[in-house]
Amino acid sequence: LGHAVDRRPAELSGGMRQRVAVARALAMNPQILLLDEPLSALDALTRAKLQDEIEAIWRQERKTIVLVTNDVDEALLLADRIIPLTPAPKATLAQEFRVTLPRPRDRRAVNHDPIYRHLRAEITQYLMSAGKQRALPEEDSVRLPEVVPITSSDFVPRAVRAATRTKPATNIDKFVEFYDVTKIYPTPRGPLTVVDRFALDIRKGEFISLIGHSGCGKSTVLSMVAGLTDVTAGGIVLEGREVTAAGPDRGVVFQAPNLLPWLTARQNVAVGVNR
């Protein structure tokens, strides 16, 4: 966090905000450390470094640590005991698995360790079996609603609909096109360039994954494609139309849940259907 010590949370990525939260908890020097999936939003390198830091703190100070995680490998790298919970409702503690691997545990070497591989397979199989045994509610017959397809042009002023109406794609290799996309945020210390001339062509139906360290601009790129963040320079074209605003043709799942707290789960889903 050295390069970001004077930035406000709004200027940090989701992963970097989580690193600040971990550092704040450690700075209290607590007697017991409770970690609720603290590394889930971090990139692989930062996650590995923090895992090593957490284990080093435990090894040096013998603090009591309770880690909640859905990552079996992370639990095997850090814990003395792994205790699965039975599925809800009425979840209870299930059988425990003791981890006898010597410390410190080298994540590059453990994949070849027969004890590690056996434990990972045993725990994974146990979790899968427990999930299959979960009692599911009987499905009632549901009448599906009459859903009328809409396009983003329905939400754009009439004067600019012609300019934003979808055009037939002439090049299927450029279903989504980023051309020199740049994003600069103003900060008290001056302009901060988060994305610098990002260029990428995506074919229709492709599954693309953006991988990078915390704060490198991954979420900003998605936010610009969604039309929720303005592009400082360059542009993004989706199926022959430049992205200028948000629209229902792009579904977004954010890094942190953003559900409406006064609605039920079903009503939150219905927001999308009604829209």
Side-chain angles (χ1 to χ4, degrees), residues 207-226:
F207 194 133
I208 300 293
S209 180
L210 301 180
I211 300 177
H213 301 318
S214 298
C216 71
K218 304 183 297 294
S219 297
T220 302
V221 168
L222 291 189
S223 182
M224 289 189 288
V225 179

Side-chain angles (χ1 to χ4, degrees), residues 169-176 201-206:
T170 57
N171 187 348
I172 60 173
D173 289 339
K174 294 186 178 182
F175 176 69
V176 183
D201 294 336
I202 302 176
R203 298 182 182 91
K204 189 169 187 177
E206 271 196 305

Side-chain angles (χ1 to χ4, degrees), residues 13 47 76 146 149 151 167 188 192 248 250 262 268:
S13 69
R47 185 173 186 142
L76 286 169
E146 295 291 334
T151 65
K167 302 179 181 67
L192 174 66
R250 282 149 286 154
W262 60 90
N268 266 283

Side-chain angles (χ1 to χ4, degrees), residues 1 5 10 19 22 25 27 29-30 45 53 63 75-77 79 95 110 130 154 158-159 166 227 230 233 244 246:
L1 285 169
V5 290
R19 289 162 69 184
V22 172
N29 193 25
L45 179 61
E53 287 292 331
K63 290 187 181 298
L76 286 169
L77 284 168
Q95 80 174 77
V110 290
D154 296 319
R158 185 182 300 275
T166 303
D230 292 334
T244 58

Side-chain angles (χ1 to χ4, degrees), residues 33-111:
L33 190 58
L34 308 175
L35 304 175
D36 187 4
E37 297 192 46
L39 314 180
S40 58
L42 302 178
D43 63 84
L45 179 61
T46 304
R47 185 173 186 142
K49 286 182 176 179
L50 272 175
Q51 286 172 346
D52 292 342
E53 287 292 331
I54 291 169
E55 187 186 30
I57 290 169
W58 173 86
R59 192 168 60 249
Q60 295 166 13
E61 305 182 19
R62 280 299 189 268
K63 290 187 181 298
T64 301
I65 298 180
V66 180
L67 169 70
V68 172
T69 180
N70 54 23
D71 188 327
V72 175
D73 289 291
E74 182 171 83
L76 286 169
L77 284 168
L78 295 177
D80 293 322
R81 290 187 293 158
I82 298 174
I83 308 172
L85 276 77
T86 59
K90 298 181 180 181
T92 61
L93 297 178
Q95 80 174 77
E96 70 174 33
F97 296 85
R98 290 193 172 271
V99 185
T100 58
L101 297 167
R103 297 178 185 272
R105 294 164 187 166
D106 187 341
R107 60 179 46 81
R108 293 168 297 183
V110 290
N111 284 318

